[in-house]
């Protein structure tokens, strides 16, 4: 039977997605190649596209197209022999209605103000970080907090403001559920940190050129298609999809940290290979909701899998050690490389943190932004509150704003509700990894044999394939046959500490 209304809706969504990909391309350029003096005009460009996108996503025309496609689907549902196909279509329609209602509730003037505030926030954050002066960023940060709270109030009264802002990243998340996941970590991680003996840190370095070569070899090892994936440099590593066959990742060289860029590349590869594995049926990809990521928690579980389960394994160090030596590494053997990659020590930087202490970095950020949105914490108090919580949880305090509250880009873009995804990603990755090993064997053995395509095949068929057909907790249940629990991650950390120390 003809799908006239469905195809009309698909054409509209495709045009919207083209605009969104133009927006993403401008964002990519802003972070990788735009001259600093281009920031003002880029702000105008991004604001203009944000206005157009909001207008399309909240228009009467869009609403009518959704309803017509929904009615057409109801008419054909009883006569279809493919109920799974119908179910997918229903899910697409329901998600579109949900997103339409979210956009429709927003004042267009607020959308415009937010777009400008995010662009100015990013620019001021860069300057503030360079000067290590939070006060440079403060007025723009205060404006972002105010606008985001107003946005949450306009969108929904079903959730608390912070929960509303977190929904695009982790659908159906609540503070009550999040506390259930995170409290055992807050109780356990500081004690585990106290239990580790200070391990030897190997002092070595690699030239920027050598680091770039190693990163390229790493992606080749994993099976990157150079006609599909491009690598750039940015102040903060990220991954972004610009089109159905256009995947970008960035990394950065950190002076004195020879593994920073390498681990960041592995992390961003995990994001990218997930995007590459999302559903590709014509009715889903690229513009339909089901062709999009399940949640940022699932997204992070994939990036953390490649960074922590693959690159930080002993078998990977053994397999890749000769390449490091060729690049100028002065370590004596693969075991020293493994110890270097897994060095356990509380530090100030989240991106450089080890698996054990990483969760505490996220807890600090999550608690602070919840206090900002829900608890009335003044934005000007962030540096002091940040330093205090680092002292309490990690036993260390930043000496300046750059190595403290200005180290991450997320708040400069108003991305409140994003940070928990990183720690949820650890929990999900640990639980899914356990199931993968039960299904296809030891990760160490797979890496030792260079069977990365076997790993990717399992991930695509057990994780990537779902897209937004389920939420993250439903996906975890489908893959592991149990609810998400922090226990797999905690046990993984205890095992690593025993192995390491």
């Amino acid at each position: 039977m003809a799908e006239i209304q469905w195809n009309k809706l698909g054409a509209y969504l495709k045009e919207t997605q083209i605009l969104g990909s133009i927006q993403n391309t401008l964002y990519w350029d802003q972070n990788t190649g735009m001259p600093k003096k281009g920031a003002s005009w880029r702000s105008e460009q991004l604001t203009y596209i944000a206005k157009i996108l909001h207008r399309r996503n909240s228009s009467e025309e869009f609403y009518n197209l959704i309803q017509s496609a929904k009615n057409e689907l109801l008419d054909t549902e009883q006569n279809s022999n493919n109920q799974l196909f119908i179910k997918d279509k229903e899910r697409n329609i329901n998600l579109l209605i949900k997103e339409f209602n979210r956009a429709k509730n927003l004042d267009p003037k607020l959308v415009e103000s937010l777009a400008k505030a995010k662009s100015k926030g990013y620019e001021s954050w860069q300057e503030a970080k360079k000067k290590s002066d939070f006060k440079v960023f403060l007025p723009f940060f205060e404006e972002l907090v105010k606008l985001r709270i107003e946005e949450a109030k306009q969108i929904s009264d079903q959730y608390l403001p912070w929960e509303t802002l977190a929904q695009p990243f982790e659908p159906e998340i609540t503070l009550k559920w999040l506390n259930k996941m995170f409290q055992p970590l807050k109780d356990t991680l500081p004690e585990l940190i106290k239990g580790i003996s200070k391990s030897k840190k190997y002092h070595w370095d690699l030239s920027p050129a050598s680091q770039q070569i190693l990163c390229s070899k790493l992606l080749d090892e994993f099976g990157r298609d150079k006609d599909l994936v491009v690598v750039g440099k940015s102040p903060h590593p990220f991954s972004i999809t610009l089109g159905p066959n256009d995947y970008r990742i960035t990394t950065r060289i950190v002076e004195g940290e020879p593994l920073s860029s390498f681990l960041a590349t592995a992390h961003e590869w995990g994001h990218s290979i997930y995007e590459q594995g999302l559903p590709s049926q014509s009715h889903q990809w690229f513009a339909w909701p089901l062709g999009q990521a399940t949640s940022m928690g699932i997204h992070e579980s994939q990036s953390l899998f490649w960074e922590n389960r693959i690159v930080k394994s002993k078998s990977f160090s053994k397999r890749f050690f000769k390449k490091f030596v060729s690049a100028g590494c002065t370590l004596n053997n693969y075991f020293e490389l493994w110890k270097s990659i897994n060095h356990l020590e509380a530090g100030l930087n989240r991106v450089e943190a080890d698996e054990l202490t990483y969760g505490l970095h996220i807890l600090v950020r999550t608690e602070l932004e919840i206090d900002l949105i829900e608890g009335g914490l003044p934005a000007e108090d962030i540096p002091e509150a940040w330093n205090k919580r680092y002292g309490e949880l990690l036993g260390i305090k930043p000496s300046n704003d750059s190595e403290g509250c200005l180290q991450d880009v997320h708040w400069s873009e108003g991305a409140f509700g994003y940070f928990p995804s990183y720690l949820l990603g650890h929990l999900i990755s640990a639980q899914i990894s356990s199931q993968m090993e039960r299904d296809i064997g030891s990760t160490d053995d797979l890496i030792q044999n260079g069977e990365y395509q076997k790993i990717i095949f399992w991930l695509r068929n057990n994780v990537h394939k779902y897209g937004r057909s389920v939420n993250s907790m439903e996906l975890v249940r489908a893959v592991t046959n149990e609810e998400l629990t922090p226990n797999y991650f905690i046990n993984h950390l205890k095992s690593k500490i025993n192995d390491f120390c």
Side-chain angles (χ1 to χ4, degrees):
M1 183 175 288
E3 299 176 320
I4 297 171
Q5 301 306 321
W6 185 262
N7 291 333
K8 284 182 179 179
L9 175 58
Y12 188 93
L13 290 172
K14 182 179 179 181
E15 189 171 332
T16 301
Q17 196 74 346
I18 288 171
L19 284 167
S21 68
I22 293 170
Q23 184 183 52
N24 284 344
T25 303
L26 290 172
Y27 178 83
W28 160 271
D29 177 71
Q30 177 180 330
N31 282 272
T32 58
M34 185 189 77
K36 185 177 180 180
K37 290 185 178 180
S40 178
W41 186 247
R42 181 54 44 86
S43 175
E44 295 284 344
Q45 291 173 311
L46 291 171
T47 299
Y48 179 73
I49 292 180
K51 285 165 59 179
I52 296 174
L53 283 170
H54 178 255
R55 193 180 304 139
R56 288 184 63 83
N57 288 330
S58 59
S59 70
E60 185 175 350
E61 179 187 4
F62 185 35
Y63 177 77
N64 290 336
L65 285 168
I66 295 172
Q67 292 303 317
S68 295
K70 181 179 180 181
N71 293 335
E72 182 181 72
L73 182 61
L74 290 172
D75 290 340
T76 60
E77 187 172 358
Q78 294 181 348
N79 299 320
S80 174
N81 295 321
N82 191 342
Q83 289 302 309
L84 180 60
F85 187 72
I86 293 293
K87 184 180 177 182
D88 282 349
K89 283 191 166 187
E90 288 176 342
R91 175 71 171 172
N92 266 320
I93 291 292
N94 291 336
L95 288 169
L96 288 172
I97 291 172
K98 186 176 181 179
E99 290 169 4
F100 172 83
N101 289 333
R102 186 179 178 97
K104 185 67 176 176
N105 288 337
L106 285 178
D107 181 350
K109 291 182 179 179
L110 176 64
V111 174
E112 185 176 348
S113 296
L114 269 168
K116 289 179 179 178
K118 284 192 282 186
S119 186
K120 291 178 180 177
Y122 178 76
E123 184 183 0
S124 67
W125 167 76
Q126 286 185 304
E127 182 183 356
K129 186 176 182 181
K130 187 176 182 180
K131 295 179 178 178
S132 192
D133 186 357
F134 183 76
K135 290 179 181 177
V136 172
F137 177 51
L138 179 59
F140 303 94
F141 184 49
E142 288 176 324
E143 179 70 4
L144 279 166
V145 173
K146 183 184 77 171
L147 291 172
R148 280 301 195 194
I149 291 174
E150 176 58 29
E151 178 188 29
K153 290 178 179 178
Q154 289 186 15
I155 289 172
S156 171
D157 55 11
Q158 178 184 355
Y159 295 102
L160 295 170
W162 182 88
E163 293 172 342
T164 299
L165 297 177
Q167 293 304 306
F169 308 118
E170 200 61 43
E172 300 176 41
I173 193 173
T174 64
L175 287 176
K176 182 179 179 181
W177 178 84
L178 189 67
N179 185 62
K180 180 182 175 183
M181 291 295 110
F182 282 4
Q183 191 59 47
L185 300 170
K186 191 173 181 180
D187 294 339
T188 304
L189 295 185
E191 292 304 312
L192 290 179
I193 292 173
K194 291 177 185 177
I196 62 171
S197 56
K198 193 168 184 179
S199 57
K200 176 182 178 181
K201 184 166 186 177
Y202 296 90
H203 296 284
W204 58 287
D205 205 356
L206 294 171
S207 69
S210 294
Q211 291 187 48
Q212 282 185 259
I213 291 171
L214 278 173
C215 288
S216 183
K217 288 182 178 179
L218 174 68
L219 294 175
D220 291 341
E221 174 94 348
F222 289 161
R224 169 191 47 159
D225 180 346
K226 291 182 179 179
D227 292 332
L228 202 66
V229 182
V230 167
V231 182
K233 297 177 185 176
S234 67
H236 193 98
F238 69 94
S239 170
I240 196 167
T241 300
L242 304 186
N245 293 296
D246 188 346
Y247 302 92
R248 313 289 180 96
I249 66 176
T250 73
T251 187
R252 64 178 179 186
I253 305 294
V254 179
E255 187 177 348
E257 296 288 346
L259 292 165
S260 177
S261 182
F262 193 74
L263 290 171
T265 299
H267 184 97
E268 301 308 333
W269 162 259
H271 282 305
S272 186
I273 198 66
Y274 174 44
E275 290 276 324
Q276 293 171 49
L278 287 169
S280 58
Q281 294 96 320
S282 60
H283 73 288
Q284 292 178 348
W285 188 261
F286 179 65
W288 293 86
L290 291 200
Q292 299 164 6
T294 304
S295 76
M296 284 312 302
I298 298 296
H299 231 310
E300 289 300 331
S301 78
Q302 299 308 288
S303 59
L304 292 165
F305 172 83
W306 288 93
E307 178 186 0
N308 294 326
R309 296 308 176 114
I310 303 297
V311 173
K312 289 185 178 180
S313 68
K314 277 184 182 176
S315 55
F316 181 85
S317 288
K318 190 173 185 178
R319 182 177 175 86
F320 225 74
F321 179 64
K322 288 183 179 179
K323 292 183 175 67
F324 270 89
V325 172
S326 297
C329 173
T330 56
L331 297 174
N332 294 311
N333 51 58
Y334 84 87
F335 187 73
E336 290 185 354
L337 176 62
W338 176 76
K339 295 278 277 189
S340 287
I341 293 175
N342 289 278
H343 181 70
L344 301 177
E345 184 179 1
L348 294 167
N349 191 283
R350 174 186 67 85
V351 176
E352 314 298 338
D354 57 68
E355 286 180 273
L356 176 58
T357 60
Y358 186 91
L360 297 178
H361 290 265
I362 298 304
L363 287 174
V364 168
R365 290 154 175 78
T366 299
E367 290 177 354
L368 285 176
E369 69 177 32
I370 290 172
D371 286 348
L372 275 168
I373 304 298
E374 301 291 343
L377 174 69
E380 64 184 359
D381 291 348
I382 282 292
E384 181 181 353
W386 180 289
N387 295 350
K388 179 182 177 184
R389 295 190 197 207
Y390 261 73
E392 293 170 349
L393 288 178
L394 287 122
I396 52 177
K397 290 186 178 182
S399 61
N400 58 62
D401 292 342
S402 285
E403 64 181 23
C405 62
L406 288 174
Q407 67 179 266
D408 293 301
V409 69
H410 306 66
W411 286 348
S412 77
E413 298 171 341
F416 302 111
Y418 187 107
F419 277 120
S421 299
Y422 288 113
L423 189 46
L424 289 173
H426 272 290
L427 306 190
I428 295 168
S429 179
Q431 194 160 324
I432 286 177
S433 295
S434 180
Q435 183 63 46
M436 187 190 78
E437 291 200 320
R438 287 194 288 271
D439 288 349
I440 61 174
S442 162
T443 304
D444 271 335
D445 290 343
L446 291 166
I447 296 168
Q448 185 174 319
N449 296 326
E451 294 182 284
Y452 299 108
Q453 291 307 308
K454 188 173 182 179
I455 293 170
I456 291 172
F457 183 79
W458 187 90
L459 290 172
R460 283 187 168 163
N461 282 282
N462 290 275
V463 180
H464 304 173
K465 71 175 184 179
Y466 285 102
R468 288 177 67 190
S469 64
V470 295
N471 65 28
S472 59
M473 295 308 99
E474 291 168 336
L475 187 150
V476 170
R477 283 197 299 272
V479 177
T480 69
N481 294 311
E482 61 179 307
E483 300 290 335
L484 181 65
T485 168
N487 295 338
Y488 283 94
F489 181 53
I490 290 171
N491 291 337
H492 166 70
L493 292 176
K494 289 178 178 178
S495 176
K496 174 154 280 191
I497 290 170
N498 290 335
D499 198 17
F500 195 82
C501 300

